[in-house]
Amino acid sequence: MVTKKIAVLFSGSGTNLEAILQKLHGKIFGDIKIEVVMTLTNKPDAGGIVKAAKYGLTSVVMDNKKFASREEFDAALVDEIKKYDVDLVVLAGFMRILTPIFTENLRAINLHPAILPLFKGAHAIEESYKSDMQVGGITVHWVSAELDGGKIIAQKTFSRKNRTFEEWEAKIHKLEHKLLPKTIVEILKKDQ
């Protein structure tokens, strides 16, 4: 049995972090065991810190406001993550635009709350809801230097129906909590 180590980066409430911890941390999938060995946030007051603590993990807090530039922050981020010798970095609501200093030195995936390449950026949920699209959805993709532009790994869609914005957003989060853990397992099993 091989243990696969992941780092999860987050900026907010940590609901996707919690889904990963519940469904993957310390669990066995065929011939691999998955361990979340690092949780990291760029926000000192992020709710995910408490969620990680429930699983015995002390989150690394790296406040991006304390760095002179994106590049300086990303260099420190890469150095910190490399200490944990992880097989995969998972961005689960990590609200940072990353530079090549990060993207060229770490193997990372990102969870995006809309269908790519159509709706990129921080307002994707709202933009997708206001569009004429008859489906909403989510995307898991490889992290690249282009914002939300890395190769798509997995997507899941749902029909518009007559959903309110709140229902639309809730449906996105429900799908995220299923697709992201499933995709992580698939990637790590392929590594064998």
Side-chain angles (χ1 to χ4, degrees), residues 143-155:
V143 175
S144 71
E146 180 190 344
L147 175 67
D148 297 328
K151 185 173 177 1
I152 292 169
I153 304 165
Q155 289 179 310

Side-chain angles (χ1 to χ4, degrees), residues 132-180:
D132 290 335
M133 295 279 293
Q134 292 304 299
V135 293
I138 61 171
T139 304
V140 179
H141 65 93
W142 291 106
V143 175
S144 71
E146 180 190 344
L147 175 67
D148 297 328
K151 185 173 177 1
I152 292 169
I153 304 165
Q155 289 179 310
K156 192 82 175 157
T157 60
F158 60 92
S159 61
R160 177 173 288 278
K161 296 183 180 167
N162 289 318
R163 296 181 205 271
T164 64
F165 178 73
E166 291 72 24
E167 291 167 336
W168 181 269
E169 193 171 30
K171 181 67 174 176
I172 284 170
H173 296 316
K174 187 175 179 186
L175 291 178
E176 287 177 336
H177 299 163
K178 291 179 181 170
L179 186 63
L180 184 57

Side-chain angles (χ1 to χ4, degrees), residues 2 14 16 30 44 48 50 54 60 62 71 74 82 90-91 100 124 126 134 136-138 148 158 173 181 183:
V2 178
N16 282 298
V50 174
K54 286 187 212 166
V60 175
M62 291 182 66
E71 291 77 12
D74 284 4
K82 284 194 170 187
V90 179
L91 277 54
E126 191 175 319
Q134 292 304 299
I138 61 171
D148 297 328
F158 60 92
H173 296 316
T183 304

Side-chain angles (χ1 to χ4, degrees), residues 82-94:
K82 284 194 170 187
K83 291 177 189 174
Y84 293 83
D85 191 31
V86 298
D87 297 289
L88 184 67
V89 178
V90 179
L91 277 54
F94 189 61

Side-chain angles (χ1 to χ4, degrees), residues 6 16-25 36 90 180 184:
I6 62 173
N16 282 298
L17 164 66
E18 189 165 37
I20 291 167
L21 290 167
Q22 283 174 349
K23 295 176 180 182
L24 305 184
H25 184 54
V36 177
V90 179
L180 184 57
I184 293 166

